[in-house]
Amino acid sequence: MTDYDTVSADVEHEKEIPEDHPRYQDLLTRHRIEKGVEKGITHLQGMHAEGRGSAFDYLLGEETIPSADEAERAAAAHLLLAERPVLSINGNVAALVPGEMVELAEATGADLEVNLFNRTPERIEAIADHLREHGAADVKGLEADARIPNLDHQRAKVDEDGIYAADVVLVPLEDGDRAEALDEMAKTEIVIDLNPLSRSPQVADVPIVDNIIRAVPNVTAHARELADADESELEAIVEEFDREAALEEAEERIRSGEL
C-alpha cells in the first residue's frame, strides 16, 4: 500500500509520482508547470492559471464528463474536415501536453503554432525546441509576420500562413479577448477550458470543458477512430454537437456534483 504522506509534490521527475495517488493528475500537472517555469517555457502567471483550473477540475470530479467527450469528438471531426487546421500553443500547453499536441497534429494534419501573452524571443525558441524534443517536425509562430485584428499586445502576433490563415483553430487555455478576436475573424474555434463560464468557451464553436491532459489525448483518439470516415459522417458529427447543452451540463456538474 502506498504511504501517501510520504509523497511530495516537489519531485525531480514525474515518474516519482505514484499513479494510484488519489490526486495523481493534480500532482502531475503541478509538477509539469513547475518544470515549465524552470525551463523558461511557462511564465510565472501560468501557475495561477493552473491553480484556477485545478479547482474547477476538482468540482468536475477530475474526470471527462459525457458532454466533454462529445465535444472532443466534435473537435476531432472539425479538425479532420478543416483545410488549414492549426493548434495554438502557449506556455502552459507546452509544459502540460507537448507530446500529446504533437500526436494530435499528426492525427489531424494540423500545424503547431506558438502564441504567447508574455512573448519574448527566448520563450518562443524554448517552446519550439521543447516541442521538437517531443517529436514536432515543424513549429510555426517564430516569424509572427501577421496580427489578429482588434487585439493589442504581443498575443496579437501570429504567422500569416498559420493562425492568421487557418479555418479551424484549437486554442486551449486561452485568454478570453483573444478568443473573441479570433471569433470575429470567422474562424471555427475549439477551446479547452475548465471554467464553462469564462469568455473563451462562451465564444467557442466547440467548448471542451475538461482537463487538457485528458482532453487532448481524447481528441486524438477520436481523430484516429474517425480517420476513415467520409465527409458526410464528419459533417453529421459537427452538426449534431450542441455547444449550449455542453456548457450547461458542465456548469450543472460544477454546481451540484458530489465531492
Side-chain angles (χ1 to χ4, degrees):
M1 180 178 293
T2 303
D3 181 0
Y4 295 125
D5 291 335
T6 67
V7 179
S8 171
D10 184 19
V11 296
E12 288 300 316
H13 195 280
E14 63 186 56
K15 290 183 179 179
E16 298 173 41
I17 304 171
E19 293 187 17
D20 64 343
H21 193 284
R23 302 306 311 285
Y24 171 74
Q25 288 189 339
D26 188 55
L27 290 173
L28 180 65
T29 54
R30 275 190 268 168
H31 173 76
R32 289 183 179 179
I33 291 292
E34 289 169 358
K35 290 299 180 183
V37 172
E38 291 175 9
K39 292 188 69 172
I41 291 170
T42 306
H43 194 274
L44 280 171
Q45 293 177 359
M47 287 187 167
H48 298 288
E50 178 58 33
R52 289 195 302 269
S54 178
F56 280 103
D57 198 24
Y58 188 69
L59 294 171
L60 283 167
E62 295 180 316
E63 65 179 6
T64 299
I65 62 177
S67 60
D69 186 64
E70 292 172 6
E72 287 153 3
R73 191 164 185 259
H78 271 293
L79 290 168
L80 291 170
L81 283 168
E83 293 184 7
R84 305 190 73 166
V86 175
L87 314 181
S88 181
I89 311 282
N90 65 17
N92 279 29
V93 175
L96 292 171
V97 285
E100 292 87 342
M101 290 296 280
V102 171
E103 289 183 10
L104 177 57
E106 292 173 346
T108 59
D111 288 330
L112 297 165
E113 179 167 341
V114 181
N115 184 269
L116 304 175
F117 184 91
N118 296 289
R119 181 186 178 97
T120 65
E122 293 78 15
R123 279 192 73 206
I124 290 288
E125 288 294 341
I127 292 173
D129 287 343
H130 188 62
L131 292 170
R132 293 185 191 107
E133 289 170 5
H134 285 82
D138 183 46
V139 181
K140 295 184 182 296
L142 283 70
E143 297 298 327
D145 51 357
R147 294 183 66 89
I148 299 171
N150 305 315
L151 192 64
D152 296 326
H153 203 264
Q154 297 288 325
R155 68 196 187 285
K157 295 182 176 180
V158 292
D159 275 14
E160 186 172 5
D161 65 345
I163 289 175
Y164 189 84
D167 54 346
V168 177
V169 187
L170 172 67
V171 282
L173 314 183
E174 192 53 76
D175 58 303
D177 56 349
R178 183 164 176 272
E180 289 176 338
L182 288 169
D183 181 61
E184 290 172 3
M185 293 179 73
K187 298 186 183 300
T188 297
E189 277 192 274
I190 303 163
V191 167
I192 301 173
D193 194 312
L194 279 159
N195 178 5
L197 298 177
S198 72
R199 283 182 296 167
S200 297
Q202 287 291 323
V203 301
D205 296 277
V206 182
I208 300 174
V209 184
D210 199 2
N211 191 316
I212 191 171
I213 66 174
R214 297 190 299 267
V216 175
N218 286 349
V219 176
T220 301
H222 283 300
R224 289 171 175 162
E225 175 194 346
L226 296 169
D228 296 326
D230 59 33
E231 188 171 312
S232 62
E233 181 179 350
L234 296 174
E235 289 175 345
I237 293 169
V238 167
E239 183 66 26
E240 291 166 6
F241 175 67
D242 188 334
R243 62 176 304 282
E244 287 79 13
L247 290 170
E248 289 172 6
E249 181 181 330
E251 183 179 350
E252 177 63 22
R253 170 66 74 93
I254 289 170
R255 291 183 182 277
S256 62
E258 296 183 4
L259 302 181

